[in-house]
Every structure is written in C-alpha cells, then in structure tokens.
C-alpha cells in the first residue's frame, strides 16, 4: 500500500519525473537554506587564516557556491559510473576545516589545493574498492573520528566569537554580545520552533547577528560596491603547491570522509527510498566526490563532502525527486556567478560566524557520539575511543610536543588532532582482541 502511495510518476516522492514547479521551488529552497552556511563558512575561515584580500575572499566564496552546484549535479546525473544517481547535496564541507586551516596557516592556500588533489584521487580509489575497505571503518572508528573533528573545531568557533584572530577588538564585550545573540537565536529556533523555521535556524541566527552588527556600524560595504555583477573565475587563480606532509594529512581525512559518505548515501536510500544503497551507488558517489574535489582544486574551490543536514531533510519529508535538487543546484550556481552576492557574504562579521558555527560544530561532535553509542561500549570499544581522542587532542594541545622530530612529522601529526585520532582508532580496532558476543556470554551464563 505504501509503495503505491509514493511511487507515482512525476511526484516529488519519486526520484525520476518532473513534478509541479510550485512544489519544486519551496522544497529546493529548503535545501539551499539548510546547506548555505556549510557552503560559505569554510571559505571564510580559510580566507581569514591565509590572509586573503577582499577580492580573493569573494572569489573563494564564489567558487564554493559553483562547485557545490556542479558536485550536486554530478551526483544526480552520473557520468560513466561517476556519481551515485541519488538525491543528495554535496559541497564544501566543515569536515576538512581543522586540516585545511592547519595547512593554510603553515604553507599557504596553494598547499591546500595541492593536498586536495591528492585527497580527491585517494577518495576515487576508495570508491573503486569501497566493499573491501569498509571493514577498516566500523561505527566505533568512524564515530571516534567525527567526534574528534567536532572537538577540534571548538577553539575555531570561540576564536571567532571573540572577534577573530588579528582583530584589534579581540575579546571585546561587543564581539561577545553579537556572538551570544546569534547563538541564542539559533538555539531558540532549533528547539522551540518547527518546520522550515527550525531548518533555517542557523541562517536566521546569522541574519539577526548581521543586522545587529549593521546597527553597531561595524560592517563595511566597500567590497560589495567594487564587485561586478557577473564574473567567471580563471583556473589556477590561487596556484597549486604540493607539500608532502599536507598531502598525507589530507589523504587520511578524505578516506575518513569517504566512509562518512557511505553513511549519508545509506541514510538517503533507507529514509527516502525504503531500501539499502546498491554497491554501484556507493562507489559512484564516493568517486564523484573525489573527481569534484580535484576539479575544485584547479578552480580554487575547497574539498567537498556529502551534507548530512540535507540528508536529514530527506528522511523527514521523503522528497527524493531529482528536480528538487536540480533547482537547489541552479540557485547555488547562479549565486556563485554573481560576485556582488559572494562579496556580500564576505562582510559577515567573524563574531556572527562564531556564534552560528559553534552550534554546527556541536552537532558534528554529537553525531560522532551517536555513532560511538551505536556500538556497545565494551572495555575494548571505550579504549579505542578514549585512547584515540586522548592522543589526538592531547598532542595538538601542547605546542612543541613533537619539536624533536623532523618538520614533516609535526605538520602531519601535530597540527590536526583528527589525523592522530584516525590512525590510532584504526590501529587499535585491528590489534585489540575482539569482544565476545553477548549471545555467547548469555549462553555461557
């Protein structure tokens, strides 16, 4: 009965077909609203760390919007096995932020793109052998990694809430007031409202913080007035630099995020299509992420990943029609081709970004905890989580703790807690004795 109710040609509940435009537009905008903060904010964070001027900041945001559109379209309409063919939004991601900020701060933005190319190739290879590699990343390992990513992002959010590094008013009451109002609005809308308002909580919170910043006179629109209405960015604008330690770090993160993509693709098919994903869908989806990341690097865009928040929307409303996601991709593409729109986004004060993103980072952390909790917290599993997080967070929290090693060791293992935690969790999961099943224990007792 349920099958007949949703499998009607041309409805929003069927993956193929063309539904009514009056249904497509609001549902497509819903996905744009849910993703926009995740698309734009990593670019703003990287721009600040690498010291880009206002023009280059605008370009970085532009490319993030354009790449999100193209990556989403490739997922929707696979080319020779590259792409999942599933309704999913994919774009620049917070998951890479700790690593790319460390790389950009030490080696410059060109090194991010060099490492990104290597990471994209690694993701493509994972997509080719996804069935064989999945056993190395059970929920206890993947959850530990995601948990560490969330923890490592908290200092970034707090630094922004205080005004951002280099801000002469860093830590001022004004910055904290703006950040906390933004934060308060996000929390209120997330837990005390429903529907589209709840889904747009982070975006609305940023708008409120932005309006308050306008009233306080701390926003300048000089860059907006100087920007044009249409511009296509030339490839290699930021250059590409290959630095071995950065490449090692990025490859590890890409492999981890390939596993996370398996979770998002699975949630999409289970929640929206009532079935498990096919191997070719998982393989194509991961390979597409690798391809779009490589292309993105040549045009000055940041690493891409699947958007869990948009997958959540699918599992709630069960809208899987591709045209809804095509519409969302078109919105991102048009916005990315308009420099004035991109430059307007770069005027968002850092305190507003911090107040909004700390909620996002907390969600990432809790996603990791949920994955960890899905495995039984036996002594073995708690050791994997505890030791991996302890080493990852501990070493990176003590500057100079690896000073006696070659510089590349400090870059790979001392700049991002995620790399250490990932390797530790994988190794411990392989070498620690397996737990006996509860069923067996029950029979013996």
């Amino acid at each position: 009965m349920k099958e007949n109710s949703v499998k009607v040609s041309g409805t929003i509940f069927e993956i193929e077909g063309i539904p009514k435009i009056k249904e497509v537009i609001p549902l497509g905008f819903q996905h744009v609203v849910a993703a926009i903060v995740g698309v734009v904010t990593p670019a703003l964070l990287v721009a600040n760390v690498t010291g880009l001027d206002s023009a280059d900041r605008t370009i970085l945001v532009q490319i993030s919007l354009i790449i999100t559109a193209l990556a989403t379209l490739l997922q929707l309409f696979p080319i020779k096995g590259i792409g999942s063919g599933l309704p999913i939004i994919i774009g620049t991601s917070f998951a890479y932020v700790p690593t790319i900020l460390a790389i950009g701060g030490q080696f410059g933005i060109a090194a991010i793109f060099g490492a990104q190319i290597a990471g994209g190739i690694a993701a493509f290879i994972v997509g080719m052998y996804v069935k064989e590699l999945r056993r190395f990343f059970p929920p206890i390992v993947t959850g530990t990694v995601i948990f560490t990513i969330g923890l490592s992002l908290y200092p970034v959010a707090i630094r922004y809430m205080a005004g951002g590094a280099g801000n002469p008013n860093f830590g001022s009451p004004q910055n904290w007031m703006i950040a906390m109002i933004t934060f308060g609005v996000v929390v209120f809308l997330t837990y005390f409202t429903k529907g589209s308002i709840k889904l747009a909580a982070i975006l609305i919170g940023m708008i409120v913080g932005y309006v308050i910043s306008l009233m306080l006179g701390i926003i300048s629109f000089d860059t907006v007035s100087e920007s044009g209405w249409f511009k296509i960015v030339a490839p290699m604008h930021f250059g590409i630099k290959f630095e071995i330690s950065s490449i090692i770090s990025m490859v590890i993160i890409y492999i981890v995020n390939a596993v996370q993509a398996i979770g998002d693709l699975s949630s999409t098919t289970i929640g929206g299509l009532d079935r498990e994903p096919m191997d070719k869908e998982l393989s194509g989806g991961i390979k597409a992420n690798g391809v779009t990341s490589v292309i993105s690097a040549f045009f000055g865009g940041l690493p891409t990943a699947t958007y869990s928040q948009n997958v959540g929307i699918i599992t709630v409303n069960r809208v899987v029609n591709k045209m809804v996601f095509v519409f969302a991709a078109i919105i991102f593409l048009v916005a990315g081709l308009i420099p004035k729109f991109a430059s307007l986004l770069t005027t968002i004060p850092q305190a507003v970004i911090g107040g909004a993103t700390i909620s996002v980072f907390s969600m990432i952390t809790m996603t990791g905890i949920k994955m960890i909790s899905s495995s039984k917290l036996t002594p073995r599993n708690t050791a994997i989580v505890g030791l991996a997080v302890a080493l990852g967070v501990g070493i990176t929290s003590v500057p100079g703790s690896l000073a006696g090693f070659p510089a590349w060791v400090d870059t790979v293992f001392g700049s991002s807690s995620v790399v250490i935690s990932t390797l530790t969790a994988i190794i411990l999961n392989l070498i620690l004795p397996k737990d006996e099943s509860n069923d067996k224990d029950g029979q013996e007792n």
Side-chain angles (χ1 to χ4, degrees):
M1 188 72 179
K2 183 178 182 181
E3 184 79 3
N4 292 334
S5 65
V6 297
K7 298 296 183 179
V8 179
S9 180
T11 73
I12 57 174
F13 302 108
E14 187 183 35
I15 194 167
E16 302 292 347
I18 302 177
K20 297 176 181 178
I21 190 67
K22 66 179 182 181
E23 294 177 317
V24 169
I25 291 176
L27 291 167
F29 267 120
Q30 188 179 40
H31 281 286
V32 172
V33 168
I36 189 67
V37 175
V39 174
V40 173
T41 308
L44 297 178
L45 296 175
V46 169
N48 289 329
V49 166
T50 56
L52 297 183
D53 58 29
S54 58
D56 282 347
R57 284 164 61 92
T58 298
I59 289 174
L60 201 60
V61 171
Q62 271 190 270
I63 298 301
S64 295
L65 292 163
I66 293 171
I67 290 299
T68 297
L70 298 180
T72 298
L73 290 172
L74 181 58
Q75 288 289 351
L76 292 170
F77 305 104
I79 299 175
K80 295 186 176 180
I82 300 175
S84 64
L86 295 174
I88 195 164
I89 300 291
I90 183 169
T92 55
S93 172
F94 279 116
Y96 303 91
V97 166
T99 303
I100 61 179
L101 292 184
I103 294 172
Q106 186 168 358
F107 300 106
I109 193 169
I112 294 176
F113 301 129
Q116 183 175 322
I117 291 172
I121 294 172
F124 190 90
I125 294 172
V126 170
M128 294 172 61
Y129 301 100
V130 63
K131 290 180 65 175
E132 292 80 2
L133 294 173
R134 286 181 71 175
R135 69 185 184 90
F136 294 105
F137 296 91
I140 194 69
V141 172
T142 307
T144 300
V145 175
I146 295 173
F147 177 58
T148 308
I149 289 173
L151 291 180
S152 65
L153 288 170
Y154 288 158
V156 176
I158 297 300
R159 195 176 301 116
Y160 273 71
M161 293 175 81
N167 188 328
N169 296 318
F170 184 82
S172 69
Q174 182 184 73
N175 287 330
W176 276 104
M177 179 194 71
I178 294 170
M180 293 308 295
I181 290 175
T182 304
F183 173 72
V185 171
V186 172
V187 171
F188 176 80
L189 295 180
T190 300
Y191 297 100
F192 294 95
T193 63
K194 297 179 180 180
S196 59
I197 294 178
K198 180 176 181 176
L199 290 172
I202 296 173
L203 179 64
I204 295 173
M206 293 183 73
I207 291 172
V208 171
Y210 192 87
V211 170
I212 292 173
S213 301
L214 273 175
M215 294 168 63
L216 294 173
I218 62 174
I219 297 177
S220 170
F221 292 103
D222 291 344
T223 57
V224 179
S225 60
E226 294 170 1
S227 299
W229 285 102
F230 179 82
K231 181 179 181 180
I232 297 178
V233 180
M236 304 284 287
H237 176 79
F238 296 104
I240 293 176
K241 173 183 175 184
F242 294 98
E243 202 285 319
I244 187 63
S245 58
S246 300
I247 289 173
I248 295 172
S249 299
M250 193 71 90
V251 165
I252 293 172
I253 303 304
Y254 261 92
I255 293 173
V256 172
N257 277 289
V259 179
Q260 174 67 14
I262 292 174
D264 285 336
L265 293 167
S266 300
S267 297
T268 298
T269 58
I270 294 170
L273 300 170
D274 295 322
R275 63 172 176 80
E276 294 285 340
M278 294 181 284
D279 288 339
K280 69 175 184 178
E281 291 172 335
L282 295 178
S283 176
I286 295 172
K287 287 192 289 186
N289 185 46
V291 169
T292 53
S293 287
V294 172
I295 294 173
S296 177
F298 282 103
F299 283 90
L302 298 175
T304 59
T306 52
Y307 277 13
S308 298
Q309 63 268 38
N310 294 84
V311 173
I313 294 174
I314 295 172
T315 60
V316 172
N317 65 17
R318 299 179 61 82
V319 172
V320 296
N321 188 274
K322 287 185 178 181
M323 290 302 105
V324 171
F325 297 83
V326 168
F327 179 80
I330 291 173
I331 295 298
F332 284 123
L333 181 61
V334 172
L337 294 173
I338 302 174
K340 278 195 181 294
F341 178 78
S343 63
L344 181 63
L345 294 174
T346 67
T347 64
I348 301 173
Q350 296 185 47
V352 173
I353 296 173
T357 55
I358 195 166
S359 298
V360 178
F361 300 160
S362 69
M363 292 176 191
I364 293 173
T365 307
M366 294 312 299
T367 298
I369 291 177
K370 287 179 182 178
M371 293 189 72
I372 292 169
S373 300
S374 69
S375 302
K376 294 174 182 176
L377 295 181
T378 61
R380 175 184 185 275
N381 286 344
T382 54
I384 292 173
V385 177
L387 294 174
V389 175
L391 283 175
V393 175
I395 290 175
T396 54
S397 297
V398 182
S401 59
L402 300 177
F405 290 86
W408 70 267
V409 174
D410 187 46
T411 300
V412 174
F413 300 105
S415 58
S416 175
S417 58
V418 181
V419 173
I420 299 176
S421 294
T422 300
L423 293 177
T424 303
I426 292 172
I427 293 170
L428 289 177
N429 182 61
L430 292 174
I431 67 175
L432 292 184
K434 302 292 183 182
D435 291 311
E436 294 182 356
S437 68
N438 285 345
D439 290 340
K440 183 177 180 181
D441 290 343
Q443 290 172 359
E444 290 177 354
N445 292 335

